[in-house]
Amino acid sequence: MLQAVPLSPVLDMAMNGLCTVFCLRNSQVLIDCRVRQAVMEQMDRVSYCHSLFYATSAAEELAKVLIDSTGGEMARAFFISSGSEAMEAALKLTRQYHLEKQPSEPQRIHFIARQQSYHGTTLGALAVGGHVARRKIFEPILSVNSSRVSPCYMYRGSEQMFEHFPSYVRRLEAELEAEFQRVGPSNVAAFIAEPVVGAALGCVPAVSGYFDAVRRVCDKYDALLILDEVMCGAGRIGPEPTKQFPKPLHAWQDPCIGVVPDIMTMGKGLGGGYMPIAAMLANKKIIDTLYGGTGGFSHGQTYQGHPLACQAALEVQRVIREDDLVANVRKQGALLGQLLKEKLGSHPAVGNIRGRGLFWGIEFVSNKITKEPFELSEAVAMNIHELGTSAVTFCSRQMIDMQPLTSFFRYARSL
Ligand code: PMP
């Protein structure tokens, strides 16, 4: 339970990215102790050094753990402090890959992403994303080398009431193919998507077969596939085990996504909120190309691979693995989904309940039949948030300070 000071206890609503940070906090006292101990020991060893000059065991170990968690599908990891930075790195690595591969394709500068997606707040990440409200006032300064196709969002995207997955997927594939043709297939650098859409759409998993179709189109035109798992990754959706991935961690390992990206990003649950940390991972094809080219990633930040952040994330990842927390996410997630549907499914203002694992969203509508949304001015989401009666949950012993803010850290109310 989150304690608001000086107010009463609050159940926080997962209306933004905030709560997915705390995605796997069970036995919290124990985890707190482990992470604190690990970070303090790291502080005694090396509290900072720039990874351009020296490697630290914290960053190296974390990279190894993450690469192992992909079953070797990814080859290298790059650590920064936020999901937005991870996405910036992904965009730049994509550019560098197309420049350095043989033959080089410098004209591949266009990114195709999806409407109602969010990939971060920095200018590059904001420009590829489709979060209309967050883009709005910055539109004139966003770069224009990206476009967006429809998301895989059957509740609203389906043409008839009983359209089946394959026909819906075929339409989305045709739309993506048409967008490649419009831009010129040899100009497309990458397709970018969240496997389960978070902030911009409210926990919408792709339907089965969708990402196969996406991969087909990308492969046909040699474009990279970037999966943004900043919000839905690190076990959050409780991916189902398969023969290939018996202990899955990443959303793409779930059979309903079922494709391997060329580049993937992680954030939030990677460090469980103990430290600001995010990651970009790239596959062997990309890494080999860089080794055969300039030999390094042409990108860097002061706090990349920060040893304290890496050590905290390493400990978090160890706990996730040792305690098999992803299995618990599957179990609790199934219960959460069932209860949400049972308790809220027939409510006249609830249009759709969807999600996976511990990542669920409820879409409120003013008319269940026509799916008419509420007027923005009614601020339904914000009002629920402020009522403090919200549904989805993170559990924390921590106290937050809800005194009047003098810092800058709040989105404008209208967003
Ligand atoms: N990608 C996705 C899918 C996200 O949900 C977010 C944050 N909500 C980001 C990128 C950006 O992450 P950050 O806020 O850590 O910069």
Side-chain angles (χ1 to χ4, degrees):
M1 185 72 72
L2 189 71
Q3 297 286 330
V5 180
L7 301 172
S8 50
V10 171
L11 265 177
D12 194 300
M13 181 70 167
M15 282 189 301
N16 55 38
L18 198 68
C19 98
T20 64
V21 168
F22 298 100
C23 68
L24 297 165
R25 291 197 161 191
N26 89 340
S27 325
Q28 188 165 359
V29 179
L30 197 71
I31 301 176
D32 280 354
C33 289
R34 279 186 61 166
V35 177
R36 186 189 304 125
Q37 186 67 24
V39 171
M40 277 164 44
E41 284 169 13
Q42 180 61 42
M43 203 175 283
D44 289 338
R45 285 195 298 273
V46 184
S47 61
Y48 174 76
C49 81
H50 197 289
S51 61
L52 189 63
F53 304 111
Y54 299 102
T56 60
S57 56
E60 291 308 307
E61 270 293 300
L62 180 61
K64 190 171 171 327
V65 163
L66 292 184
I67 285 160
D68 287 351
S69 74
T70 68
E73 295 287 357
M74 299 294 125
R76 287 281 186 280
F78 178 76
F79 300 115
I80 45 279
S81 311
S82 69
S84 304
E85 291 165 78
M87 288 306 295
E88 294 289 332
L91 300 175
K92 289 175 79 175
L93 184 62
T94 302
R95 164 78 179 148
Q96 206 181 329
Y97 164 75
H98 288 302
L99 278 180
E100 295 187 15
K101 71 185 185 189
Q102 292 303 328
S104 172
E105 289 193 286
Q107 83 290 351
R108 282 196 187 262
I109 56 164
H110 191 90
F111 292 90
I112 302 178
R114 302 189 301 178
Q115 294 141 17
Q116 290 150 299
S117 60
Y118 180 64
H119 298 298
T121 196
T122 45
L123 288 176
L126 192 64
V128 289
H131 194 303
V132 174
R134 291 185 188 169
R135 288 174 62 104
K136 193 170 161 198
I137 63 168
F138 303 105
E139 207 67 62
I141 58 169
L142 297 180
S143 71
V144 292
N145 62 329
S146 68
S147 54
R148 279 145 293 280
V149 292
S150 303
C152 185
Y153 175 29
M154 213 160 168
Y155 175 62
R156 289 191 181 277
S158 176
E159 267 173 357
Q160 322 102 27
M161 188 115 157
F162 299 109
E163 186 176 23
H164 294 298
F165 289 175
S167 125
Y168 181 50
V169 166
R170 268 197 304 279
R171 280 197 295 115
L172 292 177
E173 183 172 5
E175 185 188 342
L176 183 58
E177 169 80 40
E179 186 57 13
F180 269 75
Q181 292 304 331
R182 188 189 70 80
V183 174
S186 63
N187 297 326
V188 180
F191 178 71
I192 305 172
E194 295 167 72
V196 180
V197 184
L201 211 47
C203 310
V204 177
V207 303
S208 180
Y210 169 76
F211 274 100
D212 287 331
V214 159
R215 184 84 254 191
R216 252 194 317 275
V217 179
C218 289
D219 289 351
K220 184 164 153 196
Y221 299 119
D222 284 332
L224 297 184
L225 175 62
I226 302 174
L227 291 186
D228 177 349
E229 296 216 359
V230 168
M231 202 169 192
C232 64
R236 181 83 194 171
I237 68 150
E240 291 291 334
T242 58
K243 216 167 156 205
Q244 192 184 0
F245 303 114
K247 292 259 178 200
L249 179 70
H250 311 290
W252 57 261
Q253 293 170 324
D254 186 282
C256 113
I257 309 297
V259 296
V260 182
D262 296 294
I263 297 177
M264 62 174 287
T265 55
M266 304 176 71
K268 301 183 190 279
L270 171 61
Y274 289 100
M275 282 277 171
I277 182 155
M280 176 198 64
L281 281 72
N283 71 8
K284 190 167 179 310
K285 172 174 85 172
I286 296 173
I287 299 305
D288 285 351
T289 300
L290 261 59
Y291 275 132
T294 52
F297 183 25
S298 191
H299 181 64
Q301 293 189 248
T302 306
Y303 291 132
Q304 69 191 31
H306 194 286
L308 299 183
C310 288
Q311 190 62 46
L314 180 59
E315 204 57 30
V316 168
Q317 293 307 311
R318 283 178 175 153
V319 173
I320 289 174
R321 187 121 193 134
E322 284 163 24
D323 293 2
D324 204 3
L325 294 189
V326 177
N328 198 37
V329 171
R330 278 195 295 275
K331 190 167 150 218
Q332 303 303 333
L335 180 63
L336 176 63
Q338 183 199 324
L339 289 176
L340 284 174
K341 286 177 185 169
E342 263 172 41
K343 307 272 177 207
L344 299 174
S346 57
H347 191 284
V350 171
N352 186 234
I353 300 172
R354 68 291 180 114
R356 297 291 298 262
L358 290 175
F359 198 42
W360 283 84
I362 302 165
E363 183 158 338
F364 296 100
V365 287
S366 65
N367 183 323
K368 233 172 151 123
I369 312 286
T370 62
K371 304 181 185 175
E372 185 71 24
F374 282 99
E375 287 297 325
L376 260 185
S377 58
E378 291 182 68
V380 172
M382 187 52 84
N383 284 333
I384 292 174
H385 188 65
E386 290 192 345
L387 268 175
T389 53
S390 41
V392 190
T393 146
F394 61 85
C395 296
S396 169
R397 290 180 304 108
Q398 293 164 344
M399 307 286 274
I400 56 161
D401 193 340
M402 292 190 48
Q403 289 150 23
L405 296 179
T406 41
S407 59
F408 244 116
F409 301 143
R410 188 161 193 177
Y411 264 116
R413 277 189 74 92
S414 60
L415 293 188

